[in-house]
């Protein structure tokens, strides 16, 4: 796991955009895994700016989102499909038919959505770069604590904490789903590269548990310690509870020096 700590959230988004651009340069038809939530919004803004300035194109890419609420129509402003269209897809040249969200149509058996999503990801050749946020409780996607570390895309019940965290996005009296369909932890772990972004002091505890705690289903993000190529991008506030900060900074400096000397070089710490 490579942990890179930046002064602020803006620099986290800048670095995230730089790494996405690097992926596109190496593989213009890369398959991306995208995330919703407050954290990646700044990253999407940076990518839109880079697209507008002509430095990158998503025309040949495909994407798979981590999760979607169950029981909300895709056209609802609170669906993750709407979020992605509004915050990102509508502003770049990705072909909408190549963007996937694990939604369940009305009348459809939600149990069938997961296996179908897994096949689509496999048919696309797997995910090259997965963008992740992290919940207060250590969830990734909607894999809540106690999720199987070998899970695949399926229906999950959201915890009270997640419902509370996300209630700010729903108007009072509006239907807020308690269920979602999420990529599983094994699905996420299959991605060839993972970028986890976390900003703000409210994430410091979850980040410390994910990066330095034991690998446990009670903090699903901790499984990333077993992923071959995960980069964790943090601002100072989200990094505040890490004990090995000095080493992460040192390793980052060394990796940057190697990269300057040998080009795109990654020490997969
Ligand atoms: P947030 O959500 O970016 O809105 O904090 C992250 C998550 O729950 O995965």
């Amino acid at each position: 796991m490579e942990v890179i700590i930046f002064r602020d959230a803006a620099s986290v988004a800048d670095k995230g955009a730089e790494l996405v651009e690097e992926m596109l340069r190496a593989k213009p038809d890369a398959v991306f895994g995208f995330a919703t939530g407050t954290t990646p919004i700044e990253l999407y803004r940076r990518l839109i700016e880079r697209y507008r300035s002509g430095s990158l194109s998503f025309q040949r890419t495909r994407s798979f989102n981590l999760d979607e609420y169950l029981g909300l129509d895709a056209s609802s402003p609170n669906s993750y499909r709407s979020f992605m269209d509004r915050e990102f897809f509508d502003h770049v040249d990705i072909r909408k038919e190549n963007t996937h969200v694990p939604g369940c149509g009305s009348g459809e058996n939600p149990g069938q959505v997961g296996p179908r999503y897994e096949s689509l990801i496999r048919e696309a050749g797997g995910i090259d770069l997965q963008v992740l946020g992290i919940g207060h409780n250590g969830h990734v996607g909607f894999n809540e604590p106690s999720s199987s570390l070998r899970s695949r895309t399926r229906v999950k019940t959201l915890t009270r904490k997640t419902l509370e965290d996300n209630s700010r996005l729903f108007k009072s009296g509006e239907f807020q789903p308690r269920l979602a369909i999420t990529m599983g932890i094994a699905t996420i772990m299959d991605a060839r590269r993972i970028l986890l972004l976390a900003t703000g002091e409210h994430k410091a505890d979850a980040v410390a548990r994910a990066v330095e705690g034991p690998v446990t289903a009670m903090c699903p993000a901790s499984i990333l310690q077993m992923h071959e190529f995960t980069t964790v991008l943090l601002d100072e506030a989200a990094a505040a509870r890490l004990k090995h900060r000095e080493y992460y900074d040192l390793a980052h400096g060394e990796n940057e020096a190697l990269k300057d000397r040998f080009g795109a070089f990654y020490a997969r710490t």
Side-chain angles (χ1 to χ4, degrees), residues 182-200:
T182 181
M183 268 188 206
I185 296 177
T187 324
I188 292 169
M189 289 291 283
D190 280 348
R192 288 183 268 277
R193 182 168 192 188
I194 294 178
L195 276 190
L196 184 142
L197 278 60
T199 54

Side-chain angles (χ1 to χ4, degrees), residues 115-135:
R116 198 176 58 230
Y117 206 61
E118 294 282 331
S119 321
L120 278 174
I121 295 173
R122 266 197 310 276
E123 281 159 24
I127 292 171
D128 292 300
L129 179 67
Q130 174 68 55
V131 174
L132 289 180
I134 181 171

Side-chain angles (χ1 to χ4, degrees), residues 16-79:
E18 181 189 316
L19 294 176
V20 169
E21 185 168 340
E22 220 169 72
M23 168 59 75
L24 280 168
R25 206 164 292 138
K27 192 173 179 190
D29 60 350
V31 178
F32 287 97
F34 288 130
T36 51
T38 309
T39 315
I41 289 180
E42 281 303 315
L43 165 66
Y44 297 144
R45 293 200 177 132
R46 300 296 193 283
L47 292 175
I48 293 166
E49 282 163 17
R50 284 172 188 238
Y51 161 70
R52 288 187 177 146
S53 73
S55 71
L56 53 76
S57 165
F58 290 91
Q59 202 160 18
R60 294 174 56 199
T61 65
R62 281 164 291 174
S63 75
F64 291 88
N65 259 77
L66 281 171
D67 43 20
E68 179 58 286
Y69 286 120
L70 185 58
L72 273 194
D73 197 69
S75 62
S76 157
N78 280 318
S79 75

Side-chain angles (χ1 to χ4, degrees), residues 3 21 54 56 93 96 103 110 122 125 128 154 169 173 207 228 234:
V3 180
E21 185 168 340
L56 53 76
D93 61 348
K96 219 39 116 41
R122 266 197 310 276
D128 292 300
R154 72 219 180 284
L169 304 168
V207 165
E228 200 187 359
L234 305 172

Side-chain angles (χ1 to χ4, degrees), residues 36-40 133-136 139-141 166 168 202-203:
T36 51
T38 309
T39 315
I134 181 171
H136 280 123
H139 75 198
V140 281
N166 291 353
R168 68 185 192 281
H202 60 302
K203 294 293 172 72

